[in-house]
Amino acid sequence: MEVILKEDVNNLGHRGDVVKVADGYGRNYLLPKKLAMEANAANKAVIEQMKASAVRRSAKEKGEAEQLLTQLNDVALVFERKVGENDHLFGSVTSADIAHGLETKGFNIDRRKVHLDEPLKSLGEFLIPVKLHREVTAHIKVTVKAEEAAAE
């Protein structure tokens, strides 16, 4: 089945692309979630208008992302976590934690844009990529340190 993508879909294509997908994937996932529409003659005429507006929208989003990039590169987040022996963390720092930390500093970033291969489970400093746009990626300095023990 051929579909026209209305939005960027990871590992498939970008907005406005005509792609060939399995019938079930198109019918059960892409079409109901309004991520794509069937590629027929009428829709192919509409796609030209969509591509023009997509180029304008993408340029605007990229400009906003580059502006945000300059602000985010100076941001450093510090997380305190309980540790056991050998500096082993109880719990971890996840992309949701990082997104929440950015939100407290005034940046509204979706947790799915924080690219963490796996949660941070050790102490130290990490450089975490945040994909703001298809072509713009910021790197945030995240420090995980031991929580201070309460006075006994």
Side-chain angles (χ1 to χ4, degrees):
M1 144 182 265
E2 279 194 344
V3 294
I4 302 168
L5 297 178
K6 289 180 167 180
E7 298 293 329
D8 292 351
V9 180
N10 286 342
N11 301 325
L12 189 57
H14 302 295
R15 186 180 322 160
D17 289 350
V18 178
V19 294
K20 191 169 186 83
V21 296
D23 290 347
Y25 183 58
R27 207 174 27 252
N28 297 326
Y29 181 74
L30 296 174
L31 296 177
K33 292 194 181 278
K34 308 246 189 277
L35 296 174
M37 60 184 173
E38 265 189 82
N40 56 29
N43 288 341
K44 285 185 181 182
V46 172
I47 192 165
E48 296 306 318
Q49 294 172 337
M50 276 180 53
K51 279 189 179 182
S53 68
V55 167
R56 288 191 303 271
R57 189 178 329 137
S58 181
K60 180 182 173 200
E61 289 172 356
K62 184 177 179 185
E64 292 171 355
E66 286 173 345
Q67 188 177 17
L68 188 58
L69 171 71
T70 58
Q71 297 171 349
L72 277 179
N73 280 335
D74 299 332
V75 173
L77 297 176
V78 177
F79 293 97
E80 291 187 359
R81 296 290 191 253
K82 290 184 181 180
V83 294
E85 57 185 63
N86 300 331
D87 290 335
H88 179 72
L89 281 182
F90 292 124
S92 61
V93 177
T94 64
S95 58
D97 293 331
I98 294 171
H100 181 70
L102 288 171
E103 195 173 308
T104 60
K105 295 204 178 225
F107 300 102
N108 192 10
I109 304 289
D110 186 18
R111 69 171 176 78
R112 291 175 293 223
K113 293 184 178 188
V114 177
H115 287 275
L116 215 58
D117 292 331
E118 55 186 48
L120 304 176
K121 295 183 180 184
S122 60
L123 298 177
E125 287 187 0
F126 304 92
L127 212 54
I128 307 299
V130 178
K131 192 160 184 153
L132 302 173
H133 183 266
R134 177 177 21 195
E135 302 168 7
V136 180
T137 302
H139 294 280
I140 296 175
K141 183 178 174 184
V142 174
T143 305
V144 181
K145 64 180 190 177
E147 192 174 82
E148 298 296 322
E152 294 179 25

